[in-house]
Amino acid sequence: GTGSGGSNKSKGGPHRDNTFPFKLYEILEKEEYEHAIVWTPSNKAWKVVNQEEFEKILPHYFKHGCFKSFVRQVYCWDFRKINSGPDAGAYSNEHFVKGRRDLCMRMSRKNSKRNFKHALATSNAGIHNQEFQGLLGGGGE
């Protein structure tokens, strides 16, 4: 028999091209979006120049068209907002540089696992407290 060909690609391999940084990079590389989002002259940061127009682009790449959700993702991926100088209002990350798409591979979401564990711990504590209250309240003498 003949081989079925490599149709079953394994997810979560080394190529995470569908992650937030890669999608953002792709948007920035498209000239037709320059009216909405641009690289800064230093090529080490980017800036949304027209929020309204940018929100029309978002649904093509992300599950939403909400600028606030987008900004939340930006901070999740450890971009920092620049508050002064020529790039003020732009966002930067040391691994997000124009012409160096490969660097996006080094980016990761910050603290997501730790926050999840914390949420899990607090919800478990809530359950234990309820059980405990039940034990206390149920006993006759």
Side-chain angles (χ1 to χ4, degrees), residues 23-39 47-50 53-54 56-61:
K23 287 180 180 179
L24 179 58
Y25 191 92
E26 201 175 312
I27 293 170
L28 278 157
E29 289 297 280
K30 290 192 185 294
E31 282 180 21
E32 64 260 38
Y33 296 150
E34 279 179 356
H35 64 290
I37 185 171
V38 294
W39 289 103
K47 191 175 193 172
V48 174
V49 289
N50 187 325
E53 288 297 314
F54 186 62
K56 294 176 187 173
I57 299 165
L58 286 175
H60 298 293
Y61 292 86

Side-chain angles (χ1 to χ4, degrees), residues 92-109:
S92 71
N93 179 301
E94 58 177 333
H95 300 310
F96 199 80
V97 180
K98 186 176 185 175
R100 292 297 310 272
R101 187 178 180 273
D102 57 303
L103 289 179
C104 292
M105 293 294 294
R106 301 186 188 178
M107 295 180 68
S108 61
R109 291 177 67 103

Side-chain angles (χ1 to χ4, degrees), residues 1 3-4 11 14 17 28-29 33 37 39 45 58 63 66 69 72 78 81 98 109 116 118 121 124-125 134 137-138:
S4 61
K11 281 185 179 174
D17 289 15
L28 278 157
E29 289 297 280
Y33 296 150
I37 185 171
W39 289 103
L58 286 175
K63 294 189 182 84
C66 177
S69 300
R72 204 162 39 235
D78 219 13
K81 191 167 189 175
K98 186 176 185 175
R109 291 177 67 103
F116 179 70
H118 178 70
N124 281 352

